[in-house]
Amino acid sequence: MRVVLLVFGLAQFGCGRVGYDAQAGLADAEPGSGAGADSAVTCIPGTAEKPEMFPTVVVENFDLAGGRTWANPDNIGATDDVASGVSLAPDEMSTALVGSDFGFDFPATAELANVTIEIVGKTSLYGDISPVRMHWIAPDGRASPMQSSASYPTVGRTSHNYWNDADELIGLTLAEVESADFRVAFAMQNFGTRSDIVSIDSVKLEVQYRCP
C-alpha cells in the first residue's frame, strides 16, 4: 500500500473506479472521429487499445458542486502518493475538481469504444464519503449526466466502483477527448453522520478505441 502524509495526517490509500461505457457495437461510429489527421500513432486493423492519461491542468469549480475547498487540488495529476484532501462535515459536499488537457494522441482512423474514469483515494476514518457529480464536459460545453458512486471507499484498503452506461458516450468523439479542453469533473460528499476526511491521490482517464 502507498503511504502519504497530508496536512490532515492521512495514510494508506484505497481506490474507487468509475466508468462510462459506450455501446459494444457502435456500428454508426465515424472512422477517424477522434484523432487528428497528423497523429503519429498507428492504428492496426482489428485491434483495440486502452491508453491511460492523467490531467495536466486541474482547477476547482464552485458552480458545479458545494463550497468546501480542497487542499492542494492540483495534486490529482499523478499516482505519486502526493494527494489532494478535503474535510467534510455530515451532508457536506466539496467543490468540484475539474481535470483537463490529458494529452491523448489517437490514430486518425480510430473509433471510440469506451471511456473510464479512475479515482484513487481513501477516507480517513469512517468510509462514508463518496464521489458525486461525476461527468465529462466536451470542448463545446456538452456534458454527460452527473453520476454518483454506488458505494463508499473502504477505509484502509482498496475498493473499486464501476459505472457502465451505454448512453453516456453517445455523440462523443475521440477528437473531443483528444482536445486540451475536454474535461472530467467530480466532487466528494459526506453521507455519514460524522465528520471525516477524504484524500485523492489521482484521477486517470482510460480511453478504449478500436481500429477498423
Side-chain angles (χ1 to χ4, degrees):
M1 282 291 190
R2 297 181 296 277
V3 178
V4 63
L5 294 178
L6 291 178
V7 293
F8 307 115
L10 303 180
Q12 196 174 4
F13 286 98
C15 177
R17 187 179 179 88
V18 181
Y20 296 109
D21 228 359
Q23 291 176 327
L26 210 63
D28 58 348
E30 292 292 334
S33 61
D38 58 349
S39 173
V41 181
T42 301
C43 205
I44 302 174
T47 64
E49 300 291 340
K50 294 191 293 185
E52 302 173 339
M53 299 291 284
F54 298 101
T56 59
V57 177
V58 180
V59 298
E60 285 189 276
N61 186 296
F62 294 83
D63 297 323
L64 294 176
R68 177 67 74 166
T69 59
W70 292 78
N72 307 311
D74 54 348
N75 284 345
I76 67 170
T79 306
D80 57 2
D81 299 338
V82 180
S84 304
V86 62
S87 177
L88 298 173
D91 295 324
E92 192 171 30
M93 186 186 300
S94 72
T95 60
L97 291 183
V98 183
S100 62
D101 199 0
F102 289 86
F104 286 104
D105 183 18
F106 302 115
T109 58
E111 300 172 353
L112 177 63
N114 180 0
V115 170
T116 299
I117 303 169
E118 181 182 59
I119 301 173
V120 178
K122 74 173 290 288
T123 52
S124 179
L125 301 172
Y126 308 111
D128 293 332
I129 297 177
S130 177
V132 295
R133 303 196 178 185
M134 295 171 292
H135 61 293
W136 53 258
I137 306 168
D140 64 359
R142 192 175 77 260
S144 65
M146 293 185 181
Q147 303 282 357
S148 298
S149 179
S151 60
Y152 304 126
T154 304
V155 176
R157 66 183 178 87
T158 300
S159 61
H160 296 272
N161 301 320
Y162 291 92
W163 238 290
N164 296 298
D165 190 329
D167 294 329
E168 297 296 345
L169 294 181
I170 299 301
L172 185 66
T173 68
L174 284 174
E176 292 175 312
V177 178
E178 195 176 61
S179 168
D181 294 325
F182 179 79
R183 291 161 286 166
V184 169
F186 74 97
M188 303 297 291
Q189 184 170 0
N190 187 349
F191 290 93
T193 59
R194 298 162 291 189
S195 296
D196 202 353
I197 300 164
V198 62
S199 60
I200 303 298
D201 187 12
S202 66
V203 174
K204 181 169 59 178
L205 188 65
E206 177 188 276
V207 180
Q208 182 176 6
Y209 63 83
R210 296 185 296 265
C211 295

